[in-house]
Amino acid sequence: MVFEGNYFSSATFDKADFTPDSLICVDQSGIIDRVVSASDSDYQIVKQAAMDNDILKQIPKGSYLLPGFTDLHIHAPQWPQAGLALDKPLNEWLNTYTFPLEAKFKDLQYAKKVYQSLIKELLANGTTTGLFFGSVHTDANLVLAKVCAKLGQRAFIGKVAMDNPDQTPDYYRDESSQVALEETETFILKMQALQEQTNADITSVITPRFVPSCTDETLQGLGDLAKKYDLPIQSHCSESIWEDHYATERFNLRDAEVLNKFGLLTDKSVMAHGTQLSDSDLDLFEKTQTAIAHCPISNAYFGNSVMRVHDAYQKNVKIGLGTDISGGFSPSIYRNMQQAIMSSQMLQDSSQKPARLSASNVFYLATIGGANALHINSGQIKAGFKADLQIVQDQYFELSSNNSDEIFERLVYHTNKENIKQVYVAGNLVHDNRGEK
Amino acid sequence: MVFEGNYFSSATFDKADFTPDSLICVDQSGIIDRVVSASDSDYQIVKQAAMDNDILKQIPKGSYLLPGFTDLHIHAPQWPQAGLALDKPLNEWLNTYTFPLEAKFKDLQYAKKVYQSLIKELLANGTTTGLFFGSVHTDANLVLAKVCAKLGQRAFIGKVAMDNPDQTPDYYRDESSQVALEETETFILKMQALQEQTNADITSVITPRFVPSCTDETLQGLGDLAKKYDLPIQSHCSESIWEDHYATERFNLRDAEVLNKFGLLTDKSVMAHGTQLSDSDLDLFEKTQTAIAHCPISNAYFGNSVMRVHDAYQKNVKIGLGTDISGGFSPSIYRNMQQAIMSSQMLQDSSQKPARLSASNVFYLATIGGANALHINSGQIKAGFKADLQIVQDQYFELSSNNSDEIFERLVYHTNKENIKQVYVAGNLVHDNRGEK
């Protein structure tokens, strides 16, 4: 396939490049094999060949090609309660709403219905790769993997491990550390089989819910499994003051140090939130090459403060964005880009230290930042990268001036689901919104 | 017309009432003259009569009738730059972007194009009443009034007065205090004529841009005009630390005290932002019955802190919501409800004082709060109130549990423009989105 049109892609943390009138050539395996600019001598030849083969896809005037987004933090089974009870304290939100909901995913029919809705919604919002917490249920997590395989989303999925009876309800936990670890390993092996069978881009992820919900044995065993199978790891780290205090009380260590002690901070780790990370925690993240999933909407509710993205970036800590469905109510990375900017402004006002993020900064996080955290060749429109793409309409194109910086900001600030016209994962069309209007 | 279906309407600040299976009867003048509940003895008779007269409008399953919203703060000429350059400091944002843009509205063709786009967008987002800052240009402001009259939005519109040469650019200001006041009075009289001619629901508003941009003579003259014509007043008050300092330096008074001294705080005044209002300022607002337009998205960029909505409400200060196009990027009151909740959480975290707002609280602000600020019988679904209504689809109706509290929160958190199916102002259909999908 060959896309013809204008595109935006991050050049650096501080700058998104606009490239007009290009041909983005995608090979059979879904990789961008060449980007031809209008000034290249063979532009017309390449275009004509694409037309002759009926593989030219022209982006309409006023629409733009952008890289697909990576969402680094999604609790898949919480999708039915997105936006519910967020004015409640965390404790009530978890015990009255969240745990009972997740427990329902033992029912595989229910899981299928919810997961189909969620994955369609994420794709419709331009999210081409998702990093998911599932539930404790191995089979329901496989349902999620199958849905992702079928609908074409690149997915990293974890069976949630949670076995600490002090911090989890009796109706929703792994029965023992042994069960938590065995089920995790079973899930890993079944995912391998499913991957081989479907050839889908699905990967299993070691997933301790967070330090409080796991026993020491489970934390250690999960660290060992991550090493044995060379797998990504996800959890929460220093999401709240409560979580920080819990680590100190139980281990006399910082939350990040606990995770590291059990082998859970690696260059394949993605830790959600980190609003309470200290400078030394950030240094540890940098040293271990652990990435942060910044979830600004969720953090407004449960984070107790704003994640210091600017500081983390300065310290060379890897960082991307997450929706945190359903601690965050919105399935849209656009919405989280917007909130990341707003929260950063508010942090700068309250801390009187540099914290401001620009539209270019957050676009980098949503694309390159997320892709780097998961070691995938995605998030850029460039030869050698996967053709994870979204075609986005600038709804105010007729109204305003159209220099590329202004278009870029309008896309970041005003793109709603209905403006995302098509979405591709590795060259495959996974969402088509053109016919609906 | 008779609407048949389920509706939500604020009962109190803390509670939105759900009423199922009702008939909302609207009379010829656009007033709700009766709400018939399913248990009323004549329910079937009223329904049958409406069907016989072909005036029954059935709300589909999974959709709900809500009151239309009031947006208490919109800079109409800034619409083309919504979302632009918000990472710039205020000074640069005003002088490089905002003032040059507003100056373009001398061109009435340009004004018409922009204002049509804006009013359509606001109606499509469920906003049935708008309180607008125009530009300095009397004729362009009349264009805005004509567009509102034609498209059917209830509008309160001010000719912006700004004549202080120290704080306004030479290419965009009233030439003198005399010109500012004469043009304001001309605008008032032409609006009266337009209102009589069209019978549209349009009102002129006394509009000093803010204290810094006006000379003493203009502030005093505007206060006198407000009294002479018994008109609403709008301006900004204590939006930022800079604005507060300016008032102290020039007058040795608080910003609110300056406005009051010139007769600009009355029970018809709506002051935008108020992020820096002190307790004594809030007392002055309560005493004068001045209302606040809370603009949470804008405040994240330019407010230097979060407006203390909870405190203002406790002190019986009137308060509603505003988008502050384009200090705020979004034309949606839904988005501002969501941000009001998030910002309130962040304020509570940072201040350690009660500040949290619930979905019910912000819905009250968007409906009753805004209507009370402007003394209009709107914002409630109740006999005697104007039929300012929106029909909103719960996009996740099939996925989740459907008790009314959960539906209400989903509507507050997930309603996008495409979910707003129809909008009515005083019984007139002003937006119809059913055919587009």
PDB file of all heavy atoms in Angstrom, chain A residues 80 82 85 87 121 301 329 335 338-339 356 396 413-414 418, chain B residues 82 87 121 301 335 338-339 356 396 400 409 413-414 418:
ATOM      1  N   PRO A  80     -16.191  -1.398  31.707  1.00  0.00           N
ATOM      2  CA  PRO A  80     -17.605  -1.062  31.921  1.00  0.00           C
ATOM      3  C   PRO A  80     -17.841   0.007  32.979  1.00  0.00           C
ATOM      4  O   PRO A  80     -18.943   0.544  33.061  1.00  0.00           O
ATOM      5  CB  PRO A  80     -18.230  -2.399  32.366  1.00  0.00           C
ATOM      6  CG  PRO A  80     -17.299  -3.432  31.856  1.00  0.00           C
ATOM      7  CD  PRO A  80     -15.931  -2.822  31.940  1.00  0.00           C
ATOM      8  N   ALA A  82     -15.820   2.795  33.347  1.00  0.00           N
ATOM      9  CA  ALA A  82     -15.064   4.022  33.050  1.00  0.00           C
ATOM     10  C   ALA A  82     -15.935   5.243  33.323  1.00  0.00           C
ATOM     11  O   ALA A  82     -17.008   5.373  32.753  1.00  0.00           O
ATOM     12  CB  ALA A  82     -14.607   4.013  31.597  1.00  0.00           C
ATOM     13  N   ALA A  85     -18.039   6.626  39.664  1.00  0.00           N
ATOM     14  CA  ALA A  85     -17.677   6.708  41.093  1.00  0.00           C
ATOM     15  C   ALA A  85     -16.297   7.302  41.324  1.00  0.00           C
ATOM     16  O   ALA A  85     -15.661   7.041  42.331  1.00  0.00           O
ATOM     17  CB  ALA A  85     -17.767   5.319  41.742  1.00  0.00           C
ATOM     18  N   ASP A  87     -15.553  10.173  42.133  1.00  0.00           N
ATOM     19  CA  ASP A  87     -15.484  11.116  43.253  1.00  0.00           C
ATOM     20  C   ASP A  87     -15.415  10.393  44.597  1.00  0.00           C
ATOM     21  O   ASP A  87     -15.372  11.025  45.639  1.00  0.00           O
ATOM     22  CB  ASP A  87     -16.672  12.087  43.227  1.00  0.00           C
ATOM     23  CG  ASP A  87     -18.005  11.363  43.256  1.00  0.00           C
ATOM     24  OD1 ASP A  87     -18.067  10.188  42.845  1.00  0.00           O
ATOM     25  OD2 ASP A  87     -18.997  11.973  43.681  1.00  0.00           O
ATOM     26  N   GLU A 121     -13.154   0.408  20.731  1.00  0.00           N
ATOM     27  CA  GLU A 121     -13.092   1.801  21.186  1.00  0.00           C
ATOM     28  C   GLU A 121     -11.659   2.334  21.140  1.00  0.00           C
ATOM     29  O   GLU A 121     -11.416   3.462  20.700  1.00  0.00           O
ATOM     30  CB  GLU A 121     -13.635   1.881  22.619  1.00  0.00           C
ATOM     31  CG  GLU A 121     -13.714   3.265  23.185  1.00  0.00           C
ATOM     32  CD  GLU A 121     -14.943   4.034  22.717  1.00  0.00           C
ATOM     33  OE1 GLU A 121     -15.920   3.400  22.259  1.00  0.00           O
ATOM     34  OE2 GLU A 121     -14.916   5.265  22.815  1.00  0.00           O
ATOM     35  N   TYR A 301      -7.384  11.981  39.945  1.00  0.00           N
ATOM     36  CA  TYR A 301      -8.272  11.362  40.928  1.00  0.00           C
ATOM     37  C   TYR A 301      -7.510  10.659  42.050  1.00  0.00           C
ATOM     38  O   TYR A 301      -7.853  10.767  43.210  1.00  0.00           O
ATOM     39  CB  TYR A 301      -9.206  10.355  40.239  1.00  0.00           C
ATOM     40  CG  TYR A 301     -10.159  11.027  39.302  1.00  0.00           C
ATOM     41  CD1 TYR A 301      -9.887  11.122  37.947  1.00  0.00           C
ATOM     42  CD2 TYR A 301     -11.315  11.627  39.784  1.00  0.00           C
ATOM     43  CE1 TYR A 301     -10.748  11.775  37.087  1.00  0.00           C
ATOM     44  CE2 TYR A 301     -12.177  12.285  38.936  1.00  0.00           C
ATOM     45  CZ  TYR A 301     -11.894  12.359  37.591  1.00  0.00           C
ATOM     46  OH  TYR A 301     -12.733  13.019  36.742  1.00  0.00           O
ATOM     47  N   PHE A 329     -11.073   8.067  33.106  1.00  0.00           N
ATOM     48  CA  PHE A 329     -12.373   7.732  32.518  1.00  0.00           C
ATOM     49  C   PHE A 329     -12.342   7.641  31.000  1.00  0.00           C
ATOM     50  O   PHE A 329     -13.232   7.071  30.388  1.00  0.00           O
ATOM     51  CB  PHE A 329     -13.439   8.753  32.936  1.00  0.00           C
ATOM     52  CG  PHE A 329     -13.126  10.176  32.545  1.00  0.00           C
ATOM     53  CD1 PHE A 329     -13.429  10.647  31.284  1.00  0.00           C
ATOM     54  CD2 PHE A 329     -12.518  11.042  33.445  1.00  0.00           C
ATOM     55  CE1 PHE A 329     -13.141  11.959  30.917  1.00  0.00           C
ATOM     56  CE2 PHE A 329     -12.223  12.358  33.089  1.00  0.00           C
ATOM     57  CZ  PHE A 329     -12.531  12.808  31.816  1.00  0.00           C
ATOM     58  N   ARG A 335      -7.132  12.767  24.725  1.00  0.00           N
ATOM     59  CA  ARG A 335      -7.584  13.400  25.969  1.00  0.00           C
ATOM     60  C   ARG A 335      -6.469  13.399  27.014  1.00  0.00           C
ATOM     61  O   ARG A 335      -6.325  14.329  27.794  1.00  0.00           O
ATOM     62  CB  ARG A 335      -8.820  12.670  26.511  1.00  0.00           C
ATOM     63  CG  ARG A 335     -10.080  12.865  25.685  1.00  0.00           C
ATOM     64  CD  ARG A 335     -10.607  14.290  25.758  1.00  0.00           C
ATOM     65  NE  ARG A 335     -10.779  14.749  27.118  1.00  0.00           N
ATOM     66  CZ  ARG A 335     -11.886  14.581  27.834  1.00  0.00           C
ATOM     67  NH1 ARG A 335     -12.931  13.994  27.301  1.00  0.00           N
ATOM     68  NH2 ARG A 335     -11.959  15.035  29.064  1.00  0.00           N
ATOM     69  N   GLN A 338      -3.935  16.075  26.217  1.00  0.00           N
ATOM     70  CA  GLN A 338      -4.441  17.392  26.651  1.00  0.00           C
ATOM     71  C   GLN A 338      -4.298  17.556  28.164  1.00  0.00           C
ATOM     72  O   GLN A 338      -3.857  18.596  28.654  1.00  0.00           O
ATOM     73  CB  GLN A 338      -5.897  17.543  26.214  1.00  0.00           C
ATOM     74  CG  GLN A 338      -6.082  17.579  24.708  1.00  0.00           C
ATOM     75  CD  GLN A 338      -7.457  17.102  24.246  1.00  0.00           C
ATOM     76  OE1 GLN A 338      -8.406  17.056  25.018  1.00  0.00           O
ATOM     77  NE2 GLN A 338      -7.560  16.755  22.978  1.00  0.00           N
ATOM     78  N   GLN A 339      -4.671  16.510  28.902  1.00  0.00           N
ATOM     79  CA  GLN A 339      -4.589  16.617  30.362  1.00  0.00           C
ATOM     80  C   GLN A 339      -3.141  16.659  30.832  1.00  0.00           C
ATOM     81  O   GLN A 339      -2.831  17.339  31.812  1.00  0.00           O
ATOM     82  CB  GLN A 339      -5.321  15.456  31.033  1.00  0.00           C
ATOM     83  CG  GLN A 339      -5.486  15.653  32.538  1.00  0.00           C
ATOM     84  CD  GLN A 339      -6.308  16.889  32.871  1.00  0.00           C
ATOM     85  OE1 GLN A 339      -7.327  17.150  32.244  1.00  0.00           O
ATOM     86  NE2 GLN A 339      -5.846  17.682  33.835  1.00  0.00           N
ATOM     87  N   ARG A 356       6.263  22.662  32.564  1.00  0.00           N
ATOM     88  CA  ARG A 356       5.369  22.772  31.422  1.00  0.00           C
ATOM     89  C   ARG A 356       5.697  21.817  30.298  1.00  0.00           C
ATOM     90  O   ARG A 356       6.840  21.722  29.859  1.00  0.00           O
ATOM     91  CB  ARG A 356       5.476  24.171  30.822  1.00  0.00           C
ATOM     92  CG  ARG A 356       4.617  25.188  31.493  1.00  0.00           C
ATOM     93  CD  ARG A 356       4.647  26.477  30.667  1.00  0.00           C
ATOM     94  NE  ARG A 356       3.563  27.360  31.093  1.00  0.00           N
ATOM     95  CZ  ARG A 356       3.174  28.432  30.428  1.00  0.00           C
ATOM     96  NH1 ARG A 356       3.771  28.769  29.308  1.00  0.00           N
ATOM     97  NH2 ARG A 356       2.192  29.165  30.880  1.00  0.00           N
ATOM     98  N   TYR A 396     -11.373  21.962  11.871  1.00  0.00           N
ATOM     99  CA  TYR A 396     -11.478  23.412  11.714  1.00  0.00           C
ATOM    100  C   TYR A 396     -10.588  23.941  10.589  1.00  0.00           C
ATOM    101  O   TYR A 396     -10.202  25.106  10.567  1.00  0.00           O
ATOM    102  CB  TYR A 396     -11.171  24.110  13.046  1.00  0.00           C
ATOM    103  CG  TYR A 396     -12.074  23.622  14.155  1.00  0.00           C
ATOM    104  CD1 TYR A 396     -11.554  23.052  15.310  1.00  0.00           C
ATOM    105  CD2 TYR A 396     -13.460  23.699  14.024  1.00  0.00           C
ATOM    106  CE1 TYR A 396     -12.391  22.577  16.313  1.00  0.00           C
ATOM    107  CE2 TYR A 396     -14.299  23.219  15.024  1.00  0.00           C
ATOM    108  CZ  TYR A 396     -13.762  22.663  16.162  1.00  0.00           C
ATOM    109  OH  TYR A 396     -14.592  22.197  17.154  1.00  0.00           O
ATOM    110  N   TYR A 413      -5.375  19.181  20.145  1.00  0.00           N
ATOM    111  CA  TYR A 413      -6.394  19.696  21.064  1.00  0.00           C
ATOM    112  C   TYR A 413      -7.825  19.358  20.669  1.00  0.00           C
ATOM    113  O   TYR A 413      -8.723  19.365  21.507  1.00  0.00           O
ATOM    114  CB  TYR A 413      -6.273  21.213  21.208  1.00  0.00           C
ATOM    115  CG  TYR A 413      -5.264  21.635  22.246  1.00  0.00           C
ATOM    116  CD1 TYR A 413      -4.097  22.297  21.888  1.00  0.00           C
ATOM    117  CD2 TYR A 413      -5.480  21.346  23.590  1.00  0.00           C
ATOM    118  CE1 TYR A 413      -3.173  22.680  22.856  1.00  0.00           C
ATOM    119  CE2 TYR A 413      -4.565  21.715  24.550  1.00  0.00           C
ATOM    120  CZ  TYR A 413      -3.416  22.395  24.183  1.00  0.00           C
ATOM    121  OH  TYR A 413      -2.513  22.755  25.132  1.00  0.00           O
ATOM    122  N   HIS A 414      -8.086  19.121  19.399  1.00  0.00           N
ATOM    123  CA  HIS A 414      -9.489  19.017  18.975  1.00  0.00           C
ATOM    124  C   HIS A 414      -9.889  17.666  18.385  1.00  0.00           C
ATOM    125  O   HIS A 414     -11.035  17.509  17.962  1.00  0.00           O
ATOM    126  CB  HIS A 414      -9.826  20.109  17.959  1.00  0.00           C
ATOM    127  CG  HIS A 414      -9.857  21.486  18.553  1.00  0.00           C
ATOM    128  ND1 HIS A 414     -10.761  21.848  19.521  1.00  0.00           N
ATOM    129  CD2 HIS A 414      -9.080  22.583  18.334  1.00  0.00           C
ATOM    130  CE1 HIS A 414     -10.548  23.113  19.857  1.00  0.00           C
ATOM    131  NE2 HIS A 414      -9.541  23.590  19.167  1.00  0.00           N
ATOM    132  N   GLU A 418     -14.673  10.983  16.298  1.00  0.00           N
ATOM    133  CA  GLU A 418     -15.293  11.083  14.972  1.00  0.00           C
ATOM    134  C   GLU A 418     -14.373  11.714  13.935  1.00  0.00           C
ATOM    135  O   GLU A 418     -14.658  11.651  12.742  1.00  0.00           O
ATOM    136  CB  GLU A 418     -16.634  11.822  15.027  1.00  0.00           C
ATOM    137  CG  GLU A 418     -16.534  13.321  15.225  1.00  0.00           C
ATOM    138  CD  GLU A 418     -16.685  13.722  16.679  1.00  0.00           C
ATOM    139  OE1 GLU A 418     -16.363  12.892  17.563  1.00  0.00           O
ATOM    140  OE2 GLU A 418     -17.110  14.856  16.943  1.00  0.00           O
TER     141      GLU A 418
ATOM    142  N   ALA B  82      -8.763  28.582  18.998  1.00  0.00           N
ATOM    143  CA  ALA B  82      -8.969  27.671  20.133  1.00  0.00           C
ATOM    144  C   ALA B  82      -7.945  26.539  20.074  1.00  0.00           C
ATOM    145  O   ALA B  82      -7.887  25.813  19.090  1.00  0.00           O
ATOM    146  CB  ALA B  82     -10.385  27.111  20.104  1.00  0.00           C
ATOM    147  N   ASP B  87       0.738  26.906  25.208  1.00  0.00           N
ATOM    148  CA  ASP B  87       1.931  26.705  26.030  1.00  0.00           C
ATOM    149  C   ASP B  87       2.784  27.974  26.111  1.00  0.00           C
ATOM    150  O   ASP B  87       3.828  27.970  26.735  1.00  0.00           O
ATOM    151  CB  ASP B  87       2.761  25.520  25.514  1.00  0.00           C
ATOM    152  CG  ASP B  87       3.177  25.696  24.068  1.00  0.00           C
ATOM    153  OD1 ASP B  87       2.493  26.425  23.327  1.00  0.00           O
ATOM    154  OD2 ASP B  87       4.192  25.090  23.679  1.00  0.00           O
ATOM    155  N   GLU B 121     -21.199  25.261  16.542  1.00  0.00           N
ATOM    156  CA  GLU B 121     -20.419  24.355  17.396  1.00  0.00           C
ATOM    157  C   GLU B 121     -20.954  24.347  18.830  1.00  0.00           C
ATOM    158  O   GLU B 121     -21.073  23.278  19.446  1.00  0.00           O
ATOM    159  CB  GLU B 121     -18.951  24.813  17.393  1.00  0.00           C
ATOM    160  CG  GLU B 121     -18.006  23.927  18.153  1.00  0.00           C
ATOM    161  CD  GLU B 121     -17.588  22.713  17.345  1.00  0.00           C
ATOM    162  OE1 GLU B 121     -17.718  22.743  16.106  1.00  0.00           O
ATOM    163  OE2 GLU B 121     -17.124  21.740  17.977  1.00  0.00           O
ATOM    164  N   TYR B 301      -4.295  26.925  32.283  1.00  0.00           N
ATOM    165  CA  TYR B 301      -3.257  27.629  31.514  1.00  0.00           C
ATOM    166  C   TYR B 301      -2.901  28.979  32.110  1.00  0.00           C
ATOM    167  O   TYR B 301      -1.737  29.335  32.216  1.00  0.00           O
ATOM    168  CB  TYR B 301      -3.718  27.827  30.061  1.00  0.00           C
ATOM    169  CG  TYR B 301      -3.850  26.529  29.336  1.00  0.00           C
ATOM    170  CD1 TYR B 301      -5.066  25.883  29.228  1.00  0.00           C
ATOM    171  CD2 TYR B 301      -2.719  25.918  28.800  1.00  0.00           C
ATOM    172  CE1 TYR B 301      -5.172  24.663  28.593  1.00  0.00           C
ATOM    173  CE2 TYR B 301      -2.811  24.706  28.166  1.00  0.00           C
ATOM    174  CZ  TYR B 301      -4.045  24.084  28.066  1.00  0.00           C
ATOM    175  OH  TYR B 301      -4.133  22.870  27.443  1.00  0.00           O
ATOM    176  N   ARG B 335     -16.777  18.981  28.641  1.00  0.00           N
ATOM    177  CA  ARG B 335     -15.326  18.933  28.916  1.00  0.00           C
ATOM    178  C   ARG B 335     -14.975  19.796  30.130  1.00  0.00           C
ATOM    179  O   ARG B 335     -14.100  19.451  30.920  1.00  0.00           O
ATOM    180  CB  ARG B 335     -14.539  19.397  27.686  1.00  0.00           C
ATOM    181  CG  ARG B 335     -14.583  18.458  26.489  1.00  0.00           C
ATOM    182  CD  ARG B 335     -13.863  17.161  26.768  1.00  0.00           C
ATOM    183  NE  ARG B 335     -12.510  17.392  27.221  1.00  0.00           N
ATOM    184  CZ  ARG B 335     -11.463  17.514  26.417  1.00  0.00           C
ATOM    185  NH1 ARG B 335     -11.601  17.363  25.133  1.00  0.00           N
ATOM    186  NH2 ARG B 335     -10.268  17.736  26.904  1.00  0.00           N
ATOM    187  N   GLN B 338     -15.983  18.010  33.306  1.00  0.00           N
ATOM    188  CA  GLN B 338     -14.982  16.983  33.643  1.00  0.00           C
ATOM    189  C   GLN B 338     -13.734  17.625  34.268  1.00  0.00           C
ATOM    190  O   GLN B 338     -13.210  17.159  35.276  1.00  0.00           O
ATOM    191  CB  GLN B 338     -14.611  16.191  32.386  1.00  0.00           C
ATOM    192  CG  GLN B 338     -15.771  15.377  31.827  1.00  0.00           C
ATOM    193  CD  GLN B 338     -15.651  15.115  30.336  1.00  0.00           C
ATOM    194  OE1 GLN B 338     -14.586  15.246  29.735  1.00  0.00           O
ATOM    195  NE2 GLN B 338     -16.765  14.749  29.711  1.00  0.00           N
ATOM    196  N   GLN B 339     -13.289  18.730  33.655  1.00  0.00           N
ATOM    197  CA  GLN B 339     -12.078  19.369  34.180  1.00  0.00           C
ATOM    198  C   GLN B 339     -12.350  20.013  35.532  1.00  0.00           C
ATOM    199  O   GLN B 339     -11.463  20.026  36.392  1.00  0.00           O
ATOM    200  CB  GLN B 339     -11.546  20.408  33.193  1.00  0.00           C
ATOM    201  CG  GLN B 339     -10.170  20.942  33.564  1.00  0.00           C
ATOM    202  CD  GLN B 339      -9.124  19.854  33.582  1.00  0.00           C
ATOM    203  OE1 GLN B 339      -9.087  19.003  32.701  1.00  0.00           O
ATOM    204  NE2 GLN B 339      -8.270  19.841  34.611  1.00  0.00           N
ATOM    205  N   ARG B 356     -13.368  18.926  46.708  1.00  0.00           N
ATOM    206  CA  ARG B 356     -13.864  17.995  45.698  1.00  0.00           C
ATOM    207  C   ARG B 356     -15.244  18.336  45.183  1.00  0.00           C
ATOM    208  O   ARG B 356     -16.179  18.539  45.962  1.00  0.00           O
ATOM    209  CB  ARG B 356     -13.965  16.593  46.306  1.00  0.00           C
ATOM    210  CG  ARG B 356     -12.699  15.817  46.256  1.00  0.00           C
ATOM    211  CD  ARG B 356     -12.990  14.371  46.684  1.00  0.00           C
ATOM    212  NE  ARG B 356     -11.858  13.521  46.326  1.00  0.00           N
ATOM    213  CZ  ARG B 356     -11.894  12.201  46.345  1.00  0.00           C
ATOM    214  NH1 ARG B 356     -13.006  11.571  46.681  1.00  0.00           N
ATOM    215  NH2 ARG B 356     -10.842  11.505  46.009  1.00  0.00           N
ATOM    216  N   TYR B 396     -22.579   3.909  25.989  1.00  0.00           N
ATOM    217  CA  TYR B 396     -22.200   2.616  26.549  1.00  0.00           C
ATOM    218  C   TYR B 396     -23.378   1.925  27.237  1.00  0.00           C
ATOM    219  O   TYR B 396     -23.193   1.078  28.111  1.00  0.00           O
ATOM    220  CB  TYR B 396     -21.013   2.789  27.514  1.00  0.00           C
ATOM    221  CG  TYR B 396     -19.843   3.449  26.835  1.00  0.00           C
ATOM    222  CD1 TYR B 396     -19.308   4.632  27.308  1.00  0.00           C
ATOM    223  CD2 TYR B 396     -19.289   2.902  25.673  1.00  0.00           C
ATOM    224  CE1 TYR B 396     -18.241   5.256  26.653  1.00  0.00           C
ATOM    225  CE2 TYR B 396     -18.225   3.517  25.019  1.00  0.00           C
ATOM    226  CZ  TYR B 396     -17.713   4.688  25.513  1.00  0.00           C
ATOM    227  OH  TYR B 396     -16.670   5.310  24.868  1.00  0.00           O
ATOM    228  N   SER B 400     -23.009  -1.629  30.110  1.00  0.00           N
ATOM    229  CA  SER B 400     -22.856  -1.468  31.556  1.00  0.00           C
ATOM    230  C   SER B 400     -24.174  -1.614  32.270  1.00  0.00           C
ATOM    231  O   SER B 400     -25.229  -1.710  31.664  1.00  0.00           O
ATOM    232  CB  SER B 400     -22.268  -0.095  31.841  1.00  0.00           C
ATOM    233  OG  SER B 400     -21.053   0.049  31.170  1.00  0.00           O
ATOM    234  N   GLU B 409     -23.513   9.474  35.520  1.00  0.00           N
ATOM    235  CA  GLU B 409     -22.065   9.689  35.478  1.00  0.00           C
ATOM    236  C   GLU B 409     -21.497   9.397  34.091  1.00  0.00           C
ATOM    237  O   GLU B 409     -20.590  10.096  33.623  1.00  0.00           O
ATOM    238  CB  GLU B 409     -21.370   8.842  36.545  1.00  0.00           C
ATOM    239  CG  GLU B 409     -21.743   9.311  37.940  1.00  0.00           C
ATOM    240  CD  GLU B 409     -20.753   8.881  39.000  1.00  0.00           C
ATOM    241  OE1 GLU B 409     -20.732   7.685  39.341  1.00  0.00           O
ATOM    242  OE2 GLU B 409     -20.003   9.723  39.474  1.00  0.00           O
ATOM    243  N   TYR B 413     -19.377  12.079  31.920  1.00  0.00           N
ATOM    244  CA  TYR B 413     -17.987  11.787  31.577  1.00  0.00           C
ATOM    245  C   TYR B 413     -17.750  11.412  30.114  1.00  0.00           C
ATOM    246  O   TYR B 413     -16.634  11.529  29.625  1.00  0.00           O
ATOM    247  CB  TYR B 413     -17.449  10.652  32.464  1.00  0.00           C
ATOM    248  CG  TYR B 413     -16.906  11.146  33.781  1.00  0.00           C
ATOM    249  CD1 TYR B 413     -17.515  10.788  34.979  1.00  0.00           C
ATOM    250  CD2 TYR B 413     -15.796  11.978  33.833  1.00  0.00           C
ATOM    251  CE1 TYR B 413     -17.025  11.234  36.196  1.00  0.00           C
ATOM    252  CE2 TYR B 413     -15.300  12.428  35.042  1.00  0.00           C
ATOM    253  CZ  TYR B 413     -15.912  12.051  36.214  1.00  0.00           C
ATOM    254  OH  TYR B 413     -15.419  12.503  37.411  1.00  0.00           O
ATOM    255  N   HIS B 414     -18.763  10.931  29.424  1.00  0.00           N
ATOM    256  CA  HIS B 414     -18.493  10.364  28.097  1.00  0.00           C
ATOM    257  C   HIS B 414     -19.226  11.041  26.943  1.00  0.00           C
ATOM    258  O   HIS B 414     -19.085  10.603  25.807  1.00  0.00           O
ATOM    259  CB  HIS B 414     -18.841   8.867  28.085  1.00  0.00           C
ATOM    260  CG  HIS B 414     -17.902   8.024  28.883  1.00  0.00           C
ATOM    261  ND1 HIS B 414     -16.559   7.923  28.573  1.00  0.00           N
ATOM    262  CD2 HIS B 414     -18.098   7.257  29.986  1.00  0.00           C
ATOM    263  CE1 HIS B 414     -15.982   7.119  29.455  1.00  0.00           C
ATOM    264  NE2 HIS B 414     -16.889   6.703  30.323  1.00  0.00           N
ATOM    265  N   GLU B 418     -20.836  13.976  19.166  1.00  0.00           N
ATOM    266  CA  GLU B 418     -21.626  13.059  18.340  1.00  0.00           C
ATOM    267  C   GLU B 418     -22.710  12.338  19.120  1.00  0.00           C
ATOM    268  O   GLU B 418     -23.588  11.722  18.517  1.00  0.00           O
ATOM    269  CB  GLU B 418     -20.726  12.060  17.599  1.00  0.00           C
ATOM    270  CG  GLU B 418     -20.136  10.959  18.459  1.00  0.00           C
ATOM    271  CD  GLU B 418     -18.744  11.302  18.948  1.00  0.00           C
ATOM    272  OE1 GLU B 418     -18.431  12.521  19.057  1.00  0.00           O
ATOM    273  OE2 GLU B 418     -17.963  10.386  19.227  1.00  0.00           O
TER     274      GLU B 418
END
